[in-house]
Amino acid sequence: DAGITQSPRHKVTETGTPVTLRCHQTENHRYMYWYRQDPGHGLRLIHYSYGVKDTDKGEVSDGYSVSRSKTEDFLLTLESATSSQTSVYFCAISESKRTGSQETQYFGPGTRLLVL
Amino acid sequence: EDKVVQSPLSLVVHEGDTVTLNCSYEVTNFRSLLWYKQEKKAPTFLFMLTSSGIEKKSGRLSSILDKKELFSILNITATQTGDSAIYLCAVRNQGAQKLVFGQGTRLTINP
């Protein structure tokens, strides 16, 4: 258990409304990631963070922003949600204690978002 | 652009069968390949492979990497209904902290 929680776990919202998803970790890991998972696409990286206030874009970052003001929290914001952002969102961390590297990622339980 | 392709996309077998899942990749400066199992919730880590020809094994699951031909296989012997899941393959290149995932293989084991 990598100590990752996500909130909310389920959310229904309307097109055009802002949405913020939270990822919280308890083990002081440096790297945190946000993915979305859609049928036929596997997991696609949205944004990731390599430290407090240090973030970078992934392959599907349009329409999303992130913030990391504390080591333990990584927030994903949809400024104006669209139906194409209906998806399952997973947060992940790179776990360095067990493997000695940042290569293995461990995932949170996911947030299921429906944009109507 | 880094790319990972898994095959087959879907597979249905009977309990007790042996299955082989495939993962091919194109990545600049390859560093590692990872396999995950995803049941109804989050993906869970299975294996990380970095060297060619060295088999990683855990119970009935095993995996091997071929860096020359740019692919990996995941074998599951004596399958059980609990092996039903989506199996995800991902690769990482040198110097990057990101993983690139394939589409996944949905494996269904029928009793």
Side-chain angles (χ1 to χ4, degrees), chain B residues 3-17:
Chain B
K3 187 177 178 183
V4 178
V5 177
Q6 293 184 243
S7 64
L9 295 181
S10 181
L11 183 60
V12 181
V13 300
H14 290 291
E15 202 167 21
D17 288 351

mmCIF file with all atom_site columns, all heavy atoms in Angstrom, chain B residues 3-17:
data_model
loop_
_atom_site.group_PDB
_atom_site.id
_atom_site.type_symbol
_atom_site.label_atom_id
_atom_site.label_alt_id
_atom_site.label_comp_id
_atom_site.label_asym_id
_atom_site.label_entity_id
_atom_site.label_seq_id
_atom_site.pdbx_PDB_ins_code
_atom_site.Cartn_x
_atom_site.Cartn_y
_atom_site.Cartn_z
_atom_site.occupancy
_atom_site.B_iso_or_equiv
_atom_site.pdbx_formal_charge
_atom_site.auth_seq_id
_atom_site.auth_comp_id
_atom_site.auth_asym_id
_atom_site.auth_atom_id
_atom_site.pdbx_PDB_model_num
ATOM 1   N N   . LYS B 1 3  ? 5.989   4.766   -28.182 1.00 0.00 ? 3  LYS B N   1
ATOM 2   C CA  . LYS B 1 3  ? 4.756   4.053   -28.491 1.00 0.00 ? 3  LYS B CA  1
ATOM 3   C C   . LYS B 1 3  ? 4.807   2.644   -27.930 1.00 0.00 ? 3  LYS B C   1
ATOM 4   O O   . LYS B 1 3  ? 5.849   1.976   -27.989 1.00 0.00 ? 3  LYS B O   1
ATOM 5   C CB  . LYS B 1 3  ? 4.591   3.994   -30.005 1.00 0.00 ? 3  LYS B CB  1
ATOM 6   C CG  . LYS B 1 3  ? 3.289   3.429   -30.491 1.00 0.00 ? 3  LYS B CG  1
ATOM 7   C CD  . LYS B 1 3  ? 3.226   3.508   -32.015 1.00 0.00 ? 3  LYS B CD  1
ATOM 8   C CE  . LYS B 1 3  ? 1.952   2.902   -32.557 1.00 0.00 ? 3  LYS B CE  1
ATOM 9   N NZ  . LYS B 1 3  ? 1.916   2.909   -34.032 1.00 0.00 ? 3  LYS B NZ  1
ATOM 10  N N   . VAL B 1 4  ? 3.689   2.182   -27.398 1.00 0.00 ? 4  VAL B N   1
ATOM 11  C CA  . VAL B 1 4  ? 3.578   0.828   -26.849 1.00 0.00 ? 4  VAL B CA  1
ATOM 12  C C   . VAL B 1 4  ? 2.314   0.199   -27.425 1.00 0.00 ? 4  VAL B C   1
ATOM 13  O O   . VAL B 1 4  ? 1.243   0.797   -27.359 1.00 0.00 ? 4  VAL B O   1
ATOM 14  C CB  . VAL B 1 4  ? 3.492   0.858   -25.309 1.00 0.00 ? 4  VAL B CB  1
ATOM 15  C CG1 . VAL B 1 4  ? 3.333   -0.554  -24.759 1.00 0.00 ? 4  VAL B CG1 1
ATOM 16  C CG2 . VAL B 1 4  ? 4.727   1.534   -24.721 1.00 0.00 ? 4  VAL B CG2 1
ATOM 17  N N   . VAL B 1 5  ? 2.461   -1.002  -27.968 1.00 0.00 ? 5  VAL B N   1
ATOM 18  C CA  . VAL B 1 5  ? 1.323   -1.691  -28.571 1.00 0.00 ? 5  VAL B CA  1
ATOM 19  C C   . VAL B 1 5  ? 1.188   -3.070  -27.936 1.00 0.00 ? 5  VAL B C   1
ATOM 20  O O   . VAL B 1 5  ? 2.147   -3.853  -27.936 1.00 0.00 ? 5  VAL B O   1
ATOM 21  C CB  . VAL B 1 5  ? 1.500   -1.835  -30.092 1.00 0.00 ? 5  VAL B CB  1
ATOM 22  C CG1 . VAL B 1 5  ? 0.333   -2.634  -30.689 1.00 0.00 ? 5  VAL B CG1 1
ATOM 23  C CG2 . VAL B 1 5  ? 1.581   -0.469  -30.746 1.00 0.00 ? 5  VAL B CG2 1
ATOM 24  N N   . GLN B 1 6  ? 0.005   -3.364  -27.448 1.00 0.00 ? 6  GLN B N   1
ATOM 25  C CA  . GLN B 1 6  ? -0.239  -4.659  -26.813 1.00 0.00 ? 6  GLN B CA  1
ATOM 26  C C   . GLN B 1 6  ? -1.147  -5.509  -27.695 1.00 0.00 ? 6  GLN B C   1
ATOM 27  O O   . GLN B 1 6  ? -2.023  -5.005  -28.386 1.00 0.00 ? 6  GLN B O   1
ATOM 28  C CB  . GLN B 1 6  ? -0.882  -4.480  -25.438 1.00 0.00 ? 6  GLN B CB  1
ATOM 29  C CG  . GLN B 1 6  ? 0.041   -3.825  -24.429 1.00 0.00 ? 6  GLN B CG  1
ATOM 30  C CD  . GLN B 1 6  ? -0.573  -3.745  -23.055 1.00 0.00 ? 6  GLN B CD  1
ATOM 31  O OE1 . GLN B 1 6  ? -0.801  -2.672  -22.526 1.00 0.00 ? 6  GLN B OE1 1
ATOM 32  N NE2 . GLN B 1 6  ? -0.816  -4.921  -22.463 1.00 0.00 ? 6  GLN B NE2 1
ATOM 33  N N   . SER B 1 7  ? -0.914  -6.808  -27.636 1.00 0.00 ? 7  SER B N   1
ATOM 34  C CA  . SER B 1 7  ? -1.778  -7.729  -28.366 1.00 0.00 ? 7  SER B CA  1
ATOM 35  C C   . SER B 1 7  ? -1.882  -9.058  -27.620 1.00 0.00 ? 7  SER B C   1
ATOM 36  O O   . SER B 1 7  ? -0.945  -9.438  -26.905 1.00 0.00 ? 7  SER B O   1
ATOM 37  C CB  . SER B 1 7  ? -1.230  -7.968  -29.779 1.00 0.00 ? 7  SER B CB  1
ATOM 38  O OG  . SER B 1 7  ? 0.041   -8.603  -29.723 1.00 0.00 ? 7  SER B OG  1
ATOM 39  N N   . PRO B 1 8  ? -3.013  -9.746  -27.746 1.00 0.00 ? 8  PRO B N   1
ATOM 40  C CA  . PRO B 1 8  ? -4.239  -9.227  -28.359 1.00 0.00 ? 8  PRO B CA  1
ATOM 41  C C   . PRO B 1 8  ? -4.884  -8.174  -27.462 1.00 0.00 ? 8  PRO B C   1
ATOM 42  O O   . PRO B 1 8  ? -4.483  -8.005  -26.312 1.00 0.00 ? 8  PRO B O   1
ATOM 43  C CB  . PRO B 1 8  ? -5.110  -10.480 -28.454 1.00 0.00 ? 8  PRO B CB  1
ATOM 44  C CG  . PRO B 1 8  ? -4.684  -11.296 -27.279 1.00 0.00 ? 8  PRO B CG  1
ATOM 45  C CD  . PRO B 1 8  ? -3.202  -11.063 -27.136 1.00 0.00 ? 8  PRO B CD  1
ATOM 46  N N   . LEU B 1 9  ? -5.881  -7.478  -27.971 1.00 0.00 ? 9  LEU B N   1
ATOM 47  C CA  . LEU B 1 9  ? -6.586  -6.504  -27.139 1.00 0.00 ? 9  LEU B CA  1
ATOM 48  C C   . LEU B 1 9  ? -7.550  -7.197  -26.196 1.00 0.00 ? 9  LEU B C   1
ATOM 49  O O   . LEU B 1 9  ? -7.856  -6.686  -25.116 1.00 0.00 ? 9  LEU B O   1
ATOM 50  C CB  . LEU B 1 9  ? -7.336  -5.510  -28.019 1.00 0.00 ? 9  LEU B CB  1
ATOM 51  C CG  . LEU B 1 9  ? -6.457  -4.607  -28.883 1.00 0.00 ? 9  LEU B CG  1
ATOM 52  C CD1 . LEU B 1 9  ? -7.324  -3.652  -29.689 1.00 0.00 ? 9  LEU B CD1 1
ATOM 53  C CD2 . LEU B 1 9  ? -5.451  -3.838  -28.040 1.00 0.00 ? 9  LEU B CD2 1
ATOM 54  N N   . SER B 1 10 ? -8.006  -8.358  -26.618 1.00 0.00 ? 10 SER B N   1
ATOM 55  C CA  . SER B 1 10 ? -8.950  -9.113  -25.796 1.00 0.00 ? 10 SER B CA  1
ATOM 56  C C   . SER B 1 10 ? -8.704  -10.597 -25.998 1.00 0.00 ? 10 SER B C   1
ATOM 57  O O   . SER B 1 10 ? -8.375  -11.033 -27.111 1.00 0.00 ? 10 SER B O   1
ATOM 58  C CB  . SER B 1 10 ? -10.381 -8.752  -26.205 1.00 0.00 ? 10 SER B CB  1
ATOM 59  O OG  . SER B 1 10 ? -11.318 -9.456  -25.419 1.00 0.00 ? 10 SER B OG  1
ATOM 60  N N   . LEU B 1 11 ? -8.849  -11.370 -24.919 1.00 0.00 ? 11 LEU B N   1
ATOM 61  C CA  . LEU B 1 11 ? -8.576  -12.805 -24.980 1.00 0.00 ? 11 LEU B CA  1
ATOM 62  C C   . LEU B 1 11 ? -9.499  -13.518 -23.994 1.00 0.00 ? 11 LEU B C   1
ATOM 63  O O   . LEU B 1 11 ? -9.595  -13.109 -22.835 1.00 0.00 ? 11 LEU B O   1
ATOM 64  C CB  . LEU B 1 11 ? -7.112  -13.059 -24.630 1.00 0.00 ? 11 LEU B CB  1
ATOM 65  C CG  . LEU B 1 11 ? -6.569  -14.471 -24.696 1.00 0.00 ? 11 LEU B CG  1
ATOM 66  C CD1 . LEU B 1 11 ? -6.692  -15.038 -26.101 1.00 0.00 ? 11 LEU B CD1 1
ATOM 67  C CD2 . LEU B 1 11 ? -5.106  -14.479 -24.248 1.00 0.00 ? 11 LEU B CD2 1
ATOM 68  N N   . VAL B 1 12 ? -10.149 -14.574 -24.461 1.00 0.00 ? 12 VAL B N   1
ATOM 69  C CA  . VAL B 1 12 ? -11.025 -15.373 -23.610 1.00 0.00 ? 12 VAL B CA  1
ATOM 70  C C   . VAL B 1 12 ? -10.540 -16.810 -23.652 1.00 0.00 ? 12 VAL B C   1
ATOM 71  O O   . VAL B 1 12 ? -10.390 -17.377 -24.746 1.00 0.00 ? 12 VAL B O   1
ATOM 72  C CB  . VAL B 1 12 ? -12.490 -15.308 -24.083 1.00 0.00 ? 12 VAL B CB  1
ATOM 73  C CG1 . VAL B 1 12 ? -13.385 -16.144 -23.158 1.00 0.00 ? 12 VAL B CG1 1
ATOM 74  C CG2 . VAL B 1 12 ? -12.981 -13.876 -24.141 1.00 0.00 ? 12 VAL B CG2 1
ATOM 75  N N   . VAL B 1 13 ? -10.259 -17.377 -22.497 1.00 0.00 ? 13 VAL B N   1
ATOM 76  C CA  . VAL B 1 13 ? -9.760  -18.752 -22.417 1.00 0.00 ? 13 VAL B CA  1
ATOM 77  C C   . VAL B 1 13 ? -10.488 -19.481 -21.290 1.00 0.00 ? 13 VAL B C   1
ATOM 78  O O   . VAL B 1 13 ? -11.218 -18.878 -20.506 1.00 0.00 ? 13 VAL B O   1
ATOM 79  C CB  . VAL B 1 13 ? -8.240  -18.804 -22.180 1.00 0.00 ? 13 VAL B CB  1
ATOM 80  C CG1 . VAL B 1 13 ? -7.497  -18.112 -23.313 1.00 0.00 ? 13 VAL B CG1 1
ATOM 81  C CG2 . VAL B 1 13 ? -7.870  -18.223 -20.829 1.00 0.00 ? 13 VAL B CG2 1
ATOM 82  N N   . HIS B 1 14 ? -10.237 -20.782 -21.220 1.00 0.00 ? 14 HIS B N   1
ATOM 83  C CA  . HIS B 1 14 ? -10.825 -21.601 -20.144 1.00 0.00 ? 14 HIS B CA  1
ATOM 84  C C   . HIS B 1 14 ? -9.833  -21.747 -18.997 1.00 0.00 ? 14 HIS B C   1
ATOM 85  O O   . HIS B 1 14 ? -8.606  -21.732 -19.191 1.00 0.00 ? 14 HIS B O   1
ATOM 86  C CB  . HIS B 1 14 ? -11.217 -22.978 -20.667 1.00 0.00 ? 14 HIS B CB  1
ATOM 87  C CG  . HIS B 1 14 ? -12.386 -22.931 -21.596 1.00 0.00 ? 14 HIS B CG  1
ATOM 88  N ND1 . HIS B 1 14 ? -13.672 -22.621 -21.186 1.00 0.00 ? 14 HIS B ND1 1
ATOM 89  C CD2 . HIS B 1 14 ? -12.472 -23.151 -22.930 1.00 0.00 ? 14 HIS B CD2 1
ATOM 90  C CE1 . HIS B 1 14 ? -14.480 -22.653 -22.222 1.00 0.00 ? 14 HIS B CE1 1
ATOM 91  N NE2 . HIS B 1 14 ? -13.784 -22.969 -23.294 1.00 0.00 ? 14 HIS B NE2 1
ATOM 92  N N   . GLU B 1 15 ? -10.390 -21.876 -17.832 1.00 0.00 ? 15 GLU B N   1
ATOM 93  C CA  . GLU B 1 15 ? -9.572  -22.090 -16.642 1.00 0.00 ? 15 GLU B CA  1
ATOM 94  C C   . GLU B 1 15 ? -8.611  -23.257 -16.875 1.00 0.00 ? 15 GLU B C   1
ATOM 95  O O   . GLU B 1 15 ? -9.003  -24.297 -17.415 1.00 0.00 ? 15 GLU B O   1
ATOM 96  C CB  . GLU B 1 15 ? -10.494 -22.391 -15.453 1.00 0.00 ? 15 GLU B CB  1
ATOM 97  C CG  . GLU B 1 15 ? -9.884  -22.130 -14.102 1.00 0.00 ? 15 GLU B CG  1
ATOM 98  C CD  . GLU B 1 15 ? -10.943 -22.143 -13.005 1.00 0.00 ? 15 GLU B CD  1
ATOM 99  O OE1 . GLU B 1 15 ? -12.025 -22.721 -13.226 1.00 0.00 ? 15 GLU B OE1 1
ATOM 100 O OE2 . GLU B 1 15 ? -10.680 -21.565 -11.952 1.00 0.00 ? 15 GLU B OE2 1
ATOM 101 N N   . GLY B 1 16 ? -7.357  -23.072 -16.480 1.00 0.00 ? 16 GLY B N   1
ATOM 102 C CA  . GLY B 1 16 ? -6.360  -24.112 -16.662 1.00 0.00 ? 16 GLY B CA  1
ATOM 103 C C   . GLY B 1 16 ? -5.486  -23.913 -17.887 1.00 0.00 ? 16 GLY B C   1
ATOM 104 O O   . GLY B 1 16 ? -4.392  -24.488 -17.976 1.00 0.00 ? 16 GLY B O   1
ATOM 105 N N   . ASP B 1 17 ? -5.964  -23.090 -18.822 1.00 0.00 ? 17 ASP B N   1
ATOM 106 C CA  . ASP B 1 17 ? -5.162  -22.822 -20.021 1.00 0.00 ? 17 ASP B CA  1
ATOM 107 C C   . ASP B 1 17 ? -3.944  -21.971 -19.657 1.00 0.00 ? 17 ASP B C   1
ATOM 108 O O   . ASP B 1 17 ? -3.901  -21.312 -18.620 1.00 0.00 ? 17 ASP B O   1
ATOM 109 C CB  . ASP B 1 17 ? -5.995  -22.075 -21.059 1.00 0.00 ? 17 ASP B CB  1
ATOM 110 C CG  . ASP B 1 17 ? -7.047  -22.957 -21.708 1.00 0.00 ? 17 ASP B CG  1
ATOM 111 O OD1 . ASP B 1 17 ? -7.025  -24.185 -21.475 1.00 0.00 ? 17 ASP B OD1 1
ATOM 112 O OD2 . ASP B 1 17 ? -7.900  -22.405 -22.440 1.00 0.00 ? 17 ASP B OD2 1
#
